[in-house]
Amino acid sequence: MTETEFRLNGRVVRGQMADYATLAAYLRDNLGHFEVKAGCGEGVCGACTVLLDGEPLASCLLLARQAEGCTVETVAAAADGLRQALAEAFVRWEAAQCGYCTPGMLLTAYAYVKGGGSFDSPSIRRALAGNLCRCTGYQHIIDAIAEVVSTWPAEG
Amino acid sequence: MAGRRIAGGPGVGGTTGQKFARKDVAAKVAGLVSYSGDTQGAGMLHARLVRSLYPHARITEIAIAAAQALPGVAAVLTARDVPCNVLAEDPSGTGGGVFTQPVLASTEVRYVGEPLAVVVAASPVLADAAAQLVKVTYEPLPAVFDPGLALADDAPPIHPGGNLCVQWHVNKGNVEEVLAQAPVVIQREYATQFVDHAYLEPEAGSAWLEADGVIVIRAATQVIEHYRRLAGMLNLPHSRVRLIAPYVGGGFGGKEDMTVEPYLALAAFHTRRPVRMVWSRQESLQARPKRHPMRFQYTVAASRDGKLEAVDINILADAGAYALLTPRVLFAAAVVASGPYRVLAARVVARAGYTHNVPSSAFRGFGAMQAAVAYEQIMDELAETLGMDPLELRRKNFLQRGDELATGERVETAVWLPETLNAVQAALGPEPQPSRPGLLVGRGYAMNMQPYGRTVWFGDQAAVWMGLENDGSFHLRAGVTDVGGGQAAVLGQIAAEVLGVLPEAVTVHFGDSALTPLTGGTFATRQLYMSGNAAVRAAESLRERIQRVAATLCGGDAKTVVIESQGVRTARGSARWHEVAAAARQAGVALEVLETFFAESGPGYDNRRGTAARTFPDFTYGCHGCDVEIDPETGQVQILQYVASHDVGRAINPLSVEGQIQGGVAQGIGYALTEEVLFHEGQCLNGTLAQYLIPAAADLPPIRALILESGEGKGPLNARGIGEPAISPVAPAVANAVARALGGARVRSLPITGEKVVDTLFER
Amino acid sequence: MYPLPFVYKKAQSIAEAVAWAGDDSRFLAGGQSLLPMLNLQLASVGLLIDVNAIAELAAIGEDRAALSVGALTRHDTLARHATVRRASPLLAEAASLVGNPRVRRRGTLGGSVAQADPAAELVTALLALDAEIDVVSPDGRQRYTVPSLMLGPLLTVLRSQELVVGVRVPHREPAEGQAFVEVARREGDFALVAVAARLWIRSGRVARAAIAVGGAAEMPIRLADLEAWLKGQKAGAPLWDAAGERVSDEVRAVGDPFAGAAYRTHLSRVLVCRALAQAERARGAS
Ligand SMILES: Cc1cc2nc3c(=O)[nH]c(=O)nc-3n(C[C@H](O)[C@H](O)[C@H](O)COP(=O)(O)OP(=O)(O)OC[C@H]3O[C@@H](n4cnc5c(N)ncnc54)[C@H](O)[C@@H]3O)c2cc1C
Ligand code: FES
Ligand code: FES
């Protein structure tokens, strides 16, 4: 157990963290942030994706203590315009069925669009390669992301 | 690539048939939905299973003292602690056999991963540690892993009644005679593999004891009606166990049999404290039921001009160590084994043998999808033999309304096989061209018929409760489980349509065995059909009461009363909702109703003769087509485009229907090309998601869903089920496209891996 | 999803990391191989030494002889970095094929080397590149080559106190063409077979060749006999085809449940052929 501090969705989190707790486990079991899902624990499914200093990473392959001093964002973070636009497009397209992959999917899509990703479907498919979905066949997810890319003003 | 609606529905108004954003989707996108494993409470205990390491062994001892002694361990439970250690079922519903299985094995284990003990401790880490301390002494016994070998005379017996789990017969006409005289007869074998549901949400749940002694289990399940079996296990009155299913993170049949429920119930029963259990992905891949591997022997006879004359079909499935739903799965396979085609004579024998593999059970497509793998490939192979276009051969033999199936029952509703085929053909466009020299391309099609609803002798029923609030908002209560297909939301949409109000006006409360009326589980593509019809009835009956009260209040004819957001109106006047409520109270009319829908029921199946007046209530038909490109040197298969069309009767929520179809196609492509749970002597060889390959976005082509609406179906508003039909034609469509690309060389076992493609080309 | 308990410490310098290391410790770099093993309880460890804060491990530089890449360089950086793409396009290409985008953002070159997966793209690339691997331990600095480092699947000579600090890769020469090709079962997966090839052609003849095959055998292997055989022969499609035919003499492929030995051998043949053809074409390009 070691005192660790990081910013989570705009708030400072400080607490005793077990050295061996993954960030996913800590967020879920200690902080009740159940919007971070756990599907495999081996970095494959992407359900546990969070933004660490803005980058989508598998929180099951990070230790909670490695977040020390970092900014962690989950899908529950206050949404900026782009996040909002994506969320709305996901709803419009019914890009979630069971919804278990959705938080990770949305954060990956957010980083993709923000990073200047293109609207063509092969590029989107490659960007989503680490986020598995068993329900939708990805089609509506890709449709939703493509729609946002083509309407969202690129930054900078 | 949006799906496209081809024909409009009857157009009753409201939101049915339009793109309509589901409420649960917004909550899921915002991360607000609490799933079964999303619980953490003060004093919560964590449970873990100790599972068998051997496929077949006698258990001589389960030593638990060391685990019990570990600080923080609340309980270590074994068979002795299960008040009634048998789970029994009569899965065929025909009384053909009652199958039993222990909750916790005590003297003998029959598959690797069979549960032996439940360890309950203060933290997941402690539970893991304690589970390691449970020492099980095994005496390994001879085991059998192939259903064919298991049915041989010298096979070790797996259950006292022998190793034949089930055998179904379908008979029509005199097959021997037709075969003997038929001008063209071909014979082929096909095989399918073990696959896993691989939903992203693991099997998970929690359980606790209420002050009144009711045990509550909140778990990821497709069937809250399991509460009765849980009560039976605990020797408690049924009313003392309550099963709640929040939104489920994917089911596909994998959460149809119980997973964590009995162990959670036991743990809460014994410790009297809240308990959580979550299975790891490895446990899930190793030990939770799979889709049945099946072997098909098909003999098909036809005239030279391509009229099907007879089919003689043998199906052998691996039931695994326990029956679970095997009898029903095999039944569905047997009924549709000759496909959506007219045949003069048919003989189907569908058997399942027990083995020491993990049990097989329900998985989207439920036997009927495995059969499609065989019947749609042999149609292409027959066409090749006849020198005929495979689509022409199909068109010649399409089943039509009024025809008799192999079982002898008649098809009553529209059979839109030509329509779906035409739609797919048109959408696929010109034949594919290789993207570079040396690659091979091919286009393949498959048709299908998939039952929806349970077989008629189950006497299926579903109940829905509706009530009106003073402010004009509605409650709808239904014990449906929502596995992601919008099973709850659609009921609100249907009720709103019937009442003539906006869907927002109806709040759906679902998935609680104690507080919502039972609808039966979400399986067999029955949920829309059953609880949808119940919702229609409840809404109609509530509307009628509202109209009656309104008519006395405002004057005028009850039938002309219009329901609006603020209240009711007739030609003579209007009233606000609180006035309606007051008037109803005065008149002694309750503005709440409970309606039950009873499915068409009928006599049981005559398995001796192999016929029935009716098996399933109805079928959904469709056609899929795709283009593939193959690198013949590496064997890699890439799907270039995919089009799927089904007649869904009426698309109540087209977006959801599209989503069901696209998702079914993606799962089907995994089944066709990459997925197989590999077992060696019962041990899973690829028990992680890194090794069990479900398709990622980059592996899939654009998938187009073409929704056709014949306006005929037995569901609410003439809808047909689409959950399972969408997956059935995928593997044969892909297999046919691959065979086309390979110039007729065919890989007859799934999955069609690069290795098999290369081997097949070599053999040529 | 909990690993068996361990102690975690974050090192600020190479010296600190190495000093803390002991028999029951492991270094934690990207965690993309180690954490799955710990989460699944396929491995356990007493002390985990996080090296992610050691800035000098992440440097990329070059001198006249070689490109030097710090052990902490992420796969993604390797794939995109302008210097790497120019000096060693093969390495950049290999890095772009590792795992999925999330894995590439986090996983490191040093981790890949130490993990020694038989199908690892980067190890296969380094083997073809005659790379040198720099390792620091309490005993000082050591330099390895891939063959001197690798012992078998997931097995190296590295002791738990030995920290990989960087890799030196010779610059691509003007006459040299490079290629990296692979076959994987699913986008983002480990390769079933991967081939890295370098080809020097002078006056239409092969002056030198370096070919490494990953995924086929228990560890990535160099096809030394084939390289020698190619020397002096007339470059072109017929030669690449003939080269492919000789691959099975040297590749002792092993089968596993996912692909049999014969198929892996076959893929090696096909991919060697393709890699040589592609390397020939890539010569002019820089
Ligand atoms: C979903 C997924 C897909 C993947 N696909 C691929 C793929 O296709 N191809 C592929 O090659 N890899 C793949 N990987 C593995 C990935 O490339 C890893 O990043 C890599 O193997 C290890 O690097 P790491 O920095 O993550 O190391 P870690 O996981 O941190 O460590 C791995 C091992 O190396 C040791 N180690 C780490 N750094 C050092 C060092 N500097 N000195 C000494 N020892 C050290 C650790 O102690 C540990 O034993 C995949 C991983 C995942 C999760
Ligand atoms: S749970 Fe982290 S990637 Fe699956
Ligand atoms: S919506 Fe269920 S996994 Fe994606």
Side-chain angles (χ1 to χ4, degrees), chain A residues 97-101 133-136, chain B residues 200:
Chain A
Q97 286 183 27
C98 84
Y100 207 78
C101 69
C133 173
R134 191 58 156 168
C135 301
T136 64
Chain B
L200 284 208

Side-chain angles (χ1 to χ4, degrees), chain C residues 183-225:
Chain C
V183 167
R185 293 186 303 157
R186 174 173 70 182
E187 168 101 9
D189 257 16
F190 278 97
L192 281 179
V193 175
V195 173
R198 300 159 74 199
L199 204 53
W200 289 257
I201 298 177
R202 291 204 181 84
S203 327
R205 294 196 172 266
V206 175
R208 199 184 140 197
I211 305 164
V213 180
E218 302 217 303
M219 48 183 154
I221 46 169
R222 272 288 281 268
L223 305 188
D225 292 349

Side-chain angles (χ1 to χ4, degrees), chain A residues 37-48 58-61, chain C residues 1 102:
Chain A
K37 300 300 178 204
C40 68
E42 31 160 337
V44 179
C45 76
C48 68
S59 61
C60 70
L61 299 190
Chain C
M1 224 197 1
R102 242 186 4 250

